[in-house]
Amino acid sequence: MAPHGEGSEEAMVVQDENRKPISSILIVIAMQTEAMPIVNKLQLKEDLDSVFPKGVPWVRYHGVYKDLHINLVWPGKDSTLGCYDMDMGYAFYLGVDSVGTVSASLVTYAAIQALQPDLIINAGTAGSFKVKGASISDVFLASDVAFHDRRIPIPVFDLYGVGSRQSFSTPNLLKELNLKAGKLSTGDSLDISPQEEASIVANDATVKDMEGAAVAYVADLLKVPAIFIKAVTDIVDGDKPTAEEFLQNLAAVTAALDQAVTQAVDFINGKCLSEL
């Protein structure tokens, strides 16, 4: 019989949470181009009375889809490269998407605090590797996430820098959607240096992005289960320059991402965490 301590009570709470039907999903996406097909498919509406701090460019779309309350957030456009009129209450999105780990971690933290989701889906595009058998438009469900550009060559600090974490296990979702599985590695640059390439190999990563491990860190910190759905826009070890291939395939690959996320939401509807 389990002891009646704090640990056992905590375990019972987790078990109870895992058996409750999921009612609220938070989708975290980095780019507007990635977000809008999902927003339209799920018929989400933009939040004009923001739950976020005044002045930030973060954007939330929300709605009810089947039995689920869906919130989709993206960090918006960089305010130094765009224009936001607080008095008029609308934005001129002239800047660039606020990609990368800093924006991802901030908007994830704020959204969890404000919205209290049962599950996080970090969805987005990513690079992958022909040596791993990947092709453009492949969609991966990440099993693990880690950083590849936080190099701290001091014992124990090196492990902190890598920040390896497991995603929430969803074997039934993986099988039902027929997604590919692989480890995800995150860094703040689109291209990679030789050192970062070595770190990606050390992480045994199949896909690389610019946000996933940051979302995982915050989700782990606040004890919210998170999964990571990534669609391949570019082959890192291929023949084409990364930026060129990414831009060439972005619009088409977002269709594959939209389909995978919508199918995931359909599968999650009516289920509890333990059934995923």
Side-chain angles (χ1 to χ4, degrees), residues 80-146:
T80 61
L81 299 173
C83 179
Y84 192 87
D85 190 324
M86 292 301 300
D87 294 326
M88 297 297 292
Y90 59 82
F92 300 94
Y93 286 147
L94 303 176
V96 297
D97 295 277
S98 298
V99 299
T101 58
V102 174
S103 292
S105 59
L106 285 170
V107 77
T108 300
Y109 178 84
I112 292 174
Q113 291 291 87
L115 305 169
Q116 299 294 305
D118 297 321
L119 177 70
I120 293 171
I121 300 175
N122 174 221
T125 54
S128 191
F129 303 85
K130 64 181 181 182
V131 72
K132 292 286 190 177
S135 300
I136 301 299
S137 293
D138 281 351
V139 182
F140 284 85
L141 185 65
S143 58
D144 303 77
V145 295

Side-chain angles (χ1 to χ4, degrees), residues 157-191:
F157 282 92
D158 55 352
L159 299 177
Y160 169 79
V162 173
S164 182
R165 287 174 172 79
Q166 287 188 326
S167 64
F168 185 75
S169 179
T170 56
N172 297 325
L173 175 65
L174 180 68
K175 182 179 179 181
E176 178 70 19
L177 271 60
N178 195 31
L179 301 174
K180 294 190 172 186
K183 295 181 179 180
L184 171 65
S185 195
T186 297
D188 268 311
S189 298
L190 182 64
D191 60 3

